[in-house]
Amino acid sequence: MARLEEVTKADGVQAALEVLDRDGAVIVRDFLDPDVHQQFSDDMVRHAAGHRAGSVAENAAVREFWGERTTRFTRLAHRSAAFADILTDPFYLGVADQVLLPMASDYWMNTGQMMIIGPGETAQWLHRDADNWPTLCSPNGFEVTLSCLFAISEFTAEVGATRVVPGSHRWDDYQRQAEPHEVCQAVMPAGAGMIYTGRVLHSGGANTTADQFRYGMHLSYVLGWLTPEEASPLGADWADVQHLSERAQRLLGWRCSGNDDRYAARLWTVDYEDVPVGLELS
Ligand SMILES: O=C(O)CCC(=O)C(=O)O
Ligand SMILES: [Fe+2]
């Protein structure tokens, strides 16, 4: 069976980029700072109690993709003070800068989403996250999004560690189905994370345990000129973000894009000013 390669932060951003370029995914073993991890995990366990598994969407494909026994929720900057530290992790942003900045003057958060896979859940279908923007997901295309699945609890094969098809971002036929032997699982300890490109095939795994929950947190970025999955500034208030850096505010949609001296164009403005200026917040 295929295997995913691991790096540590000490190996450096370049080492992660090399594996990412070759395989489409790379595990960073020591991703989360232990204190941040503990605080975030405590907050998520508390919030999970208020959320049901499965979606109420009318669209059956959405309900299936979500997972009947999977609990998902977002608004993470509103729900945990520790989230901003993960959102602005220098190692993750270092990788994202290299992958996404060739195609845009900046990027913002696509979504920060808890994916808690419960006992009895079946495997999700293999997909590419860049299919959120279908015309931009093709073998000859460019990267529009970068994702990471953080293991908030340990990711074992039995509990539903993410399935990945290494190298599938480089296939010249995106209609091709993966063979079983091409699929591996991102088995990793709590605190680790798997960074993967928007063009690699992956999916949530099956949870075959009787009583264990897989706490995963998906955090992705998308080019600043594309619409993100999550309406982040509608879910995190100014009070949640006003103390954060401008970079974090931009990632969360509380600042406009295009603060690039080469261009006059700015997107996501209020009164054609930056968001806090237009709203007279700062
Ligand atoms: O839960 C996982 O491991 C991955 C889920 C996923 O890929 C998705 O919902 O887009
Ligand atoms: Fe996905």
Side-chain angles (χ1 to χ4, degrees), residues 133-144:
W133 305 273
T135 54
L136 295 178
C137 185
S138 70
N140 303 318
F142 49 88
E143 301 293 357
V144 298

Side-chain angles (χ1 to χ4, degrees), residues 162-269:
T162 309
R163 303 190 305 154
V164 184
V165 184
S168 53
H169 61 311
R170 288 174 168 245
W171 289 358
D172 52 18
D173 176 9
Y174 276 11
Q175 303 305 316
R176 157 149 123 70
Q177 303 291 307
E179 304 290 337
H181 71 269
E182 295 176 300
V183 183
C184 63
Q185 277 190 284
V187 169
M188 53 187 170
M194 179 197 54
I195 301 177
Y196 58 104
T197 96
R199 301 197 299 157
V200 79
L201 283 172
H202 68 283
S203 84
N207 184 335
T208 56
T209 72
D211 54 6
Q212 293 175 46
F213 288 80
R214 190 215 72 172
Y215 274 69
M217 191 271 278
H218 164 111
L219 172 59
S220 47
Y221 306 114
V222 64
L223 301 184
W225 46 269
L226 287 173
T227 303
E229 190 173 311
E230 179 179 349
S232 169
L234 301 182
D237 309 322
W238 180 241
D240 298 321
V241 306
Q242 63 179 337
H243 61 285
L244 301 179
S245 66
E246 283 195 19
R247 179 104 199 249
Q249 290 171 353
R250 168 59 194 146
L251 288 168
L252 291 166
W254 273 98
R255 291 210 169 250
C256 71
S257 95
N259 286 314
D260 182 326
D261 290 344
R262 290 173 299 172
Y263 311 107
R266 297 195 297 183
L267 302 175
W268 200 251
T269 58

